[in-house]
């Protein structure tokens, strides 16, 4: 084996460090830049402290500063600023005067609280209190307290000094109410507080005084919230309490029995970090009798713990390690003399891409599903099922990055098909697109209803690459598929799929999915262990990866471009891969190995002789971005080698990833589809397309932007594909491409394809013509139609023999060249000329 490679790219100094992100004024870029978020967060916290100081100072010295504020525009800043007693000078006094005297009064002190919480969220990526909920409550209380203080000021005629307490808004509101309904304005103010408490905090009943010796009333349900109040353990518990108080209504049998919540843990491939116990929120009805025939039954609503897997600390820079294969039957003498063979020594200083090359997006851009939204969706689902006479025992919500899964347990005797038929009715009641019903859930005794979230989470590529589940994966070809509904990172092994078929309409994330797949492989594999064959008929999707030519790419020896775009070169490349497959099988046969892993392990242990043609074999991954275009232009020439590779190439380390926009049956033929057990579908346009790619419906109900269904071994999983931007791909390719590489790309075996039909003409020997040649020639000239079907039909011959006769007629100059679906042109116009030609030939 050739060890040193003298030629290398010109390295750039300090290339291993990530380049600083360029400055952009676009809001998404600003929002994703941690430096900008930190600076803006610090500014908001500083502004909050300044406003607090200015407001408090104004309450103490505001009256003395009134005269100065009225003349501040008529005198110089030096004079007015010297006389101002506010701690923040003229500006602080003016701002405080506007917010306190003219607007909200003392209630304006709630404004610095909002700014401080927002600053903490931006600067520290954490919330001291729920920002959205606290902001809504604070703004309401500011307006309400200003109105209440305005009523007191108006009632006591303390207009001069009292305006500081109520502000202009509170005073004017009460003047308007007094002129409208007199002193009844106090009732309006009190009722406004009552409405806010009911709808904001979800109150369903007024507090009552419990009598110790009197039994509970039997006229209605009683909700016991004592247990839930004792479970307050974190800063978000206020939303949980609001969630408990909402009343659930379902029809049931007369005897109310509390059903247990059945939670079947989903199997995972690797152990996960320890999770906190799920908070369960249950509502128990009273035991009284009901006058209705169907008494109300309690409904258990459980929110599943969907804490996402925390990203591990920045992983250490990966170092190319030698393969470690089986150690049985090792030739000890050869190992002592040469040591284990290390394929990475061809590029000993190769550095894996760093995690800094990927954009770090804010961690708080996660799916925000409030308790109110959960409760509202749950009520709509329950009411819709109830309208059709379907009762359920319990319901459980699992919040994912794209959709929320509601798992319901139907009551005894309810047919699953009846719930499945209500898919459109549930979608109508929820006013949401992409409702998908899974009946039943695989491995569970529940029925799943997937409802898209209003605020979706963007799964960044950096957040999944940096997790231990990927960085410490021992798969042969690990690829990150995305996040599941339960916020788990899903990593698959392409070597075990063994081929992947992708589909999706335009703009639904198919190209991003291919970039994610290629990025995953580049982050985990050394160039000596992996080669990529990239086919891009659209010529623009995979062009960024041409910088990896002397590291990861494989191509024909005479190819000019590393990315294959020409249809004829695609056919030659596919046939070349078939030759490579046959050659590898011959090597495995000589080595008495069953697969590539065993073969490479033997070669690493020096048990195979390179002089007999043995060598270390890297994995080869063929990626085709648009199969439909190739099938339209080449047809069988593309289908046959793809089908052959899909059938046989798994054991020798050649794996296919084929993508198409429209999975119609004339593109994904039965021969191709049968050998692609792993399917990945983004949103498609119709249920027919979904059944073509997945053998079931559901892909047409996806919501786009990376929302996808992955089918493997008859299991279908809904995932949110990670997002990797074009700039990130460019950074990764530049990082790899500027390192020392091989002298050239990995050369596939030569394949001499025919450029035209001339080679076939040379192969046809007119001296050994078919016995039916003369009769076929007369038939074609007589009908002036050069078609195989005519010869086959009139002379009662098989298709293959009729095709050979047409080829011989073409070689003899009687008919023209093949013109696709058209009949061949007849070059001889009369029978006399034909008979003269036949006489000369004979």
């Amino acid at each position: 084996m050739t060890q040193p490679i003298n030629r290398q790219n010109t390295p750039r100094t300090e290339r291993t460090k990530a380049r600083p992100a360029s400055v952009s004024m676009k809001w998404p870029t600003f929002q994703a830049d941690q430096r900008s978020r930190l600076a803006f967060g610090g500014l908001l916290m500083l502004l909050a402290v300044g406003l607090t100081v200015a407001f408090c100072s104004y309450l103490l010295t505001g009256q003395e500063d009134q005269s100065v504020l009225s003349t501040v525009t008529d005198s110089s800043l030096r004079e007015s600023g010297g006389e101002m007693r506010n701690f923040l000078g003229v500006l602080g006094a003016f701002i405080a005067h506007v917010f306190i005297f003219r607007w909200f009064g003392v209630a304006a002190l709630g404004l610095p609280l909002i700014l401080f919480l927002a600053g903490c969220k931006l600067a520290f990526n954490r919330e001291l209190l729920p920002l959205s909920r606290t902001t809504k409550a604070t703004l309401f209380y500011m307006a309400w307290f200003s109105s209440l203080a305005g009523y007191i000021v108006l009632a006591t005629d303390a207009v001069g000094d009292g305006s500081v307490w109520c502000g202009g808004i509170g005073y004017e509101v009460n003047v308007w109410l007094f002129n409208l309904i007199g002193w009844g304005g106090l009732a309006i103010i009190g009722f406004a507080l009552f409405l806010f408490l009911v709808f904001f905090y979800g109150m369903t009943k007024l507090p009552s005084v419990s009598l110790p010796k009197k039994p509970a009333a039997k006229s209605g349900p009683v909700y016991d919230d004592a247990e839930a109040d004792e479970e307050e353990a974190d800063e978000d518990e206020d939303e949980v309490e609001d969630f408990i108080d909402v009343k659930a209504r379902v029809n049931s049998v007369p005897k109310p029995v509390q059903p247990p919540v059945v939670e079947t843990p989903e199997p995972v491939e690797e152990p996960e970090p320890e999770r906190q116990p799920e908070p369960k929120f249950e509502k128990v009805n009273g035991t009284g009798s009901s006058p209705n025939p169907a008494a109300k039954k309690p409904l258990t609503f459980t929110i599943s713990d969907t804490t996402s897997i925390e990203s591990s600390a920045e992983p250490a820079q990966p170092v190319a390690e030698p393969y470690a294969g089986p150690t049985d039957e090792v030739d000890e003498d050869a190992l002592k003399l040469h040591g284990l063979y290390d394929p990475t020594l061809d590029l000993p200083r190769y550095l894996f891409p760093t995690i800094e090359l990927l954009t770090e997006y804010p961690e708080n851009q996660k799916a925000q599903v409030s308790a109110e939204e959960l409760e509202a969706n749950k009520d709509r689902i329950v009411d819709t099922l109830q309208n059709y006479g379907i009762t359920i025992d319990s319901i459980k919500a699992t919040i994912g990055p794209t959709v929320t899964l509601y798992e319901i347990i139907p009551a005894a005797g309810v047919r699953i098909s009846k719930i499945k038929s209500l898919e459109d009715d549930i979608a109508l009641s929820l006013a949401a697109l992409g409702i998908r019903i899974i009946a039943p859930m695989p491995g569970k005794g529940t029925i799943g209803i997937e409802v898209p979230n209003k605020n979706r989470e963007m799964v960044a590529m950096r957040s999944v690459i940096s997790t231990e589940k990927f960085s410490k994966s021992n798969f042969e070809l690990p690829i990150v598929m995305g996040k599941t509904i339960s916020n788990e990172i899903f990593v698959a092994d392409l070597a075990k799929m063994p081929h992947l078929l992708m589909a999706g309409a335009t703009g639904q994330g198919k190209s991003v999915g291919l970039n994610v797949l290629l990025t995953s492989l580049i982050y985990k594999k050394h160039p000596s262990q992996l080669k990529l064959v990239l086919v891009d008929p659209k010529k623009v999707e995979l062009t960024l990866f041409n910088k990896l030519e002397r590291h990861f790419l494989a191509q024909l020896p005479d190819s000019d471009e590393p990315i294959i775009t020409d249809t004829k070169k695609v056919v030659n490349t596919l046939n070349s891969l078939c030759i490579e497959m046959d050659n590898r099988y011959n090597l495995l046969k000589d080595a008495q190995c069953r697969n590539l892993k065993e073969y490479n392990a033997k070669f690493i242990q020096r048990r195979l002789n390179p002089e007999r043609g043995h060598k270390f074999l890297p994995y080869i991954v063929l990626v085709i971005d648009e199969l439909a275009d190739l099938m339209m232009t080449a047809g069988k020439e593309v289908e046959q080698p793809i089908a052959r590779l899909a059938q046989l190439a798994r054991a020798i380390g050649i794996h296919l990833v084929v993508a198409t926009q429209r999975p119609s049956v004339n593109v994904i033929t039965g021969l191709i589809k049968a050998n692609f057990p792993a399917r990945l579908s983004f949103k498609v346009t119709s249920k027919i397309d979904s059944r073509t790619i997945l053998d079931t419906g559901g892909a047409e109900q996806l919501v786009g932007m990376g929302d996808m269904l992955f089918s493997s071994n008859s299991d279908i999983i809904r995932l949110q594909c990670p997002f990797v931007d074009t700039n990130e791909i460019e950074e990764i390719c530049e990082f790899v491409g500027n390192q020392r590489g091989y002298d050239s790309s990995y050369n596939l075996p030569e394949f001499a394809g025919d450029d035209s039909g001339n080679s076939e003409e040379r192969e046809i020997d007119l001296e050994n013509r078919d016995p039916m040649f003369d009769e076929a020639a007369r038939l074609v000239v007589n009908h002036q139609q050069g078609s195989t079907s005519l010869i086959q039909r009139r002379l009662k011959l098989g298709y293959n023999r009729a095709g050979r006769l047409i080829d011989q007629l073409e070689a003899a100059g009687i008919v023209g060249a093949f013109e696709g679906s058209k009949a061949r042109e007849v070059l001889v116009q009369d029978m006399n000329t034909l008979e003269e030609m036949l006489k000369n030939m004979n």
Side-chain angles (χ1 to χ4, degrees), residues 243-260:
F243 191 78
I244 300 172
D245 292 332
V246 182
K247 182 178 180 180
R249 301 183 304 275
V250 290
N251 289 337
S252 177
V253 294
K255 292 184 179 181
V257 179
Q258 178 63 44

Side-chain angles (χ1 to χ4, degrees), residues 90-367:
V90 176
L91 182 60
F94 179 76
I95 295 176
H97 180 73
V98 171
F99 280 97
I100 294 180
F101 188 82
R102 295 184 179 178
W103 288 359
F104 298 105
V106 178
L109 288 171
L111 182 63
L113 174 63
I114 298 175
L115 295 178
F116 187 80
L117 293 177
C120 288
K121 183 175 181 179
L122 289 173
F124 303 111
N125 286 331
R126 60 172 299 181
E127 294 182 351
L128 300 179
L129 294 173
L131 180 60
S132 176
R133 190 174 182 82
T134 305
T135 301
K136 296 175 184 177
T138 302
L139 291 177
F140 172 80
Y141 286 128
M142 287 171 59
W144 184 83
F145 185 81
S146 176
S147 302
L148 180 63
Y151 177 84
I152 298 175
V153 169
L154 188 64
T156 57
D157 295 329
V159 180
D161 300 333
S163 295
V164 177
W165 296 97
C166 65
I169 293 179
Y171 185 78
E172 294 298 332
V173 166
N174 278 276
V175 170
W176 181 80
L177 287 176
F178 180 78
N179 293 331
L180 181 65
I181 57 176
W183 298 110
L186 181 62
I188 299 297
I189 297 173
F191 187 71
L193 177 63
F194 173 75
L195 290 179
F196 180 78
L197 295 177
V198 169
F199 287 98
F200 190 78
Y201 295 104
M203 291 180 56
T204 58
K205 59 184 178 64
L206 294 175
S208 59
V209 179
S210 59
L211 299 177
K213 295 183 180 181
K214 186 177 180 180
K218 297 184 179 181
S219 59
V222 177
Y223 297 88
D224 186 4
D225 296 336
E227 294 183 1
D229 293 337
E230 295 176 357
E231 293 179 357
E232 292 185 346
D234 53 23
E235 58 189 7
D236 295 328
E237 194 63 20
D238 53 346
E239 294 188 14
V240 172
E241 292 177 346
D242 304 336
F243 191 78
I244 300 172
D245 292 332
V246 182
K247 182 178 180 180
R249 301 183 304 275
V250 290
N251 289 337
S252 177
V253 294
K255 292 184 179 181
V257 179
Q258 178 63 44
V261 178
V262 180
E263 298 182 12
T264 305
E266 298 183 0
V268 294
E269 299 178 1
E270 294 182 333
E272 300 181 2
E274 184 177 356
R275 294 176 178 266
Q276 296 180 355
E278 289 188 351
K280 297 183 179 180
F281 315 110
E282 301 181 353
K283 297 170 281 249
V284 183
N285 283 347
T287 57
S289 60
S290 174
N292 298 328
K296 293 186 177 180
K297 180 179 179 180
L299 178 67
T300 301
F301 188 29
T302 305
I303 304 179
S304 178
D305 183 11
T306 57
T307 306
S308 60
I309 298 177
E310 296 292 337
S311 299
S312 61
E314 297 292 336
Q317 180 69 19
V319 180
E321 298 180 356
Y323 268 74
T327 58
D328 56 333
E329 301 181 6
V330 178
D331 189 344
E332 297 294 341
D333 295 335
L335 287 179
K336 291 179 181 179
L337 181 61
H338 302 289
L340 290 175
Y341 174 77
D342 185 2
T344 64
L345 290 180
D346 288 347
L347 297 177
R349 297 183 180 180
Y350 175 79
L351 296 177
F352 285 80
T354 60
I355 198 68
E356 287 79 11
L357 297 174
L358 299 172
T359 304
E360 181 179 6
Y361 293 93
E363 294 183 0
N364 59 356
Q365 289 187 353
K366 295 186 178 181

Side-chain angles (χ1 to χ4, degrees), residues 766 808-816 826-828 837:
L766 292 179
Q808 291 177 2
L809 292 174
E810 180 185 354
I814 298 176
V815 298
V826 181
L827 303 179
V828 180
M837 292 179 61

Side-chain angles (χ1 to χ4, degrees), residues 526-813:
H526 189 274
S528 63
Q529 304 166 358
L530 172 68
K531 299 301 174 184
L532 303 173
V533 180
L534 304 182
V535 177
D536 183 13
K538 292 187 286 188
K539 304 180 181 181
V540 295
E541 295 294 346
L542 302 176
T543 53
L544 291 177
F545 293 95
N546 59 11
K547 299 176 184 178
L548 308 178
E549 177 180 1
R550 291 194 289 153
H551 293 85
F552 286 101
L553 298 189
Q555 58 188 19
L556 293 174
D558 58 345
S559 181
D560 298 330
E561 298 179 354
I563 309 298
I564 306 167
T565 57
D566 183 70
T567 303
K568 191 63 179 178
K569 291 183 179 180
V570 171
V571 175
N572 292 342
T573 301
L574 292 175
N575 286 281
S576 176
L577 283 173
C578 291
I579 298 175
E580 174 76 11
M581 177 183 67
D582 295 335
N583 294 339
R584 289 191 172 197
Y585 268 117
N586 291 332
L587 292 176
L588 263 65
K589 177 183 176 182
D590 294 340
Q592 297 182 354
C593 298
R594 299 182 61 184
N595 53 55
L596 182 72
K597 189 174 182 180
E598 294 179 5
Y599 176 86
N600 283 336
K602 275 192 175 182
F603 188 83
I604 289 169
Q605 296 164 4
R606 308 282 184 179
R607 296 166 58 186
L608 300 176
N609 190 352
E611 296 180 357
R612 298 181 57 183
H614 292 291
K615 58 183 178 179
F616 182 84
L617 300 178
Y619 284 96
I620 297 179
V621 177
L622 169 65
V623 178
I624 301 178
D625 184 41
E626 184 51 67
L627 179 63
D629 182 75
L630 298 179
M631 296 294 291
M632 290 176 60
T633 55
K636 293 293 183 181
E637 295 180 281
V638 172
E639 180 186 3
Q640 291 179 356
I642 289 179
R644 188 162 183 264
L645 289 171
Q647 289 171 349
L648 302 174
R650 176 187 64 86
I652 44 84
I654 299 179
H655 303 278
L656 281 63
V657 178
V658 179
T660 184
Q661 287 185 358
R662 189 176 186 275
S664 56
V665 292
N666 59 338
V667 175
I668 304 177
T669 62
L671 193 59
I672 293 178
K673 183 179 178 181
N675 296 286
F676 283 81
R679 321 273 178 79
L680 183 64
S681 178
F682 295 89
K683 181 178 176 62
V684 294
T685 56
S686 66
K687 184 176 291 187
I688 297 177
D689 292 345
S690 176
R691 289 177 177 173
T692 303
I693 181 68
L694 298 176
D695 294 328
T696 185
E700 78 282 358
Q701 299 288 351
L702 299 177
V703 295
M705 297 180 64
D707 189 19
M708 61 186 184
L709 293 176
F710 175 65
S711 173
S712 179
N713 299 324
S714 301
D715 294 333
I716 296 182
I717 304 174
R718 190 165 187 173
L719 302 168
Q720 174 62 40
C721 179
F723 175 73
V724 56
D725 200 1
T726 304
N727 296 332
E728 300 174 71
I729 298 295
E730 187 176 9
E731 286 284 338
I732 295 171
C733 294
E734 284 187 5
F735 179 87
V736 174
N738 284 283
Q739 298 185 56
R740 174 186 175 183
Y742 298 99
D743 283 345
S744 63
S745 60
Y746 185 86
N747 288 331
L748 297 174
E750 293 186 6
F751 176 79
D754 296 332
D755 296 333
S756 63
N758 295 331
S759 59
E760 295 183 1
E761 291 181 9
R762 289 193 296 267
E763 294 176 359
I764 297 176
D765 185 9
L766 292 179
E767 297 296 330
N768 297 321
R769 299 187 302 276
D770 191 281
M772 302 290 292
F773 177 82
D774 293 353
E775 190 173 352
R778 295 186 182 96
L779 178 66
V780 168
V781 173
N782 186 35
H783 288 80
Q784 287 294 302
Q785 180 182 353
S787 66
T788 305
S789 60
L790 176 65
I791 298 175
Q792 183 182 3
R793 186 173 61 255
R794 291 300 181 94
L795 300 182
K796 299 181 180 180
L797 302 177
Y799 178 81
N800 293 334
R801 187 177 181 183
R804 286 194 298 269
L805 280 171
I806 280 290
D807 292 338
Q808 291 177 2
L809 292 174
E810 180 185 354

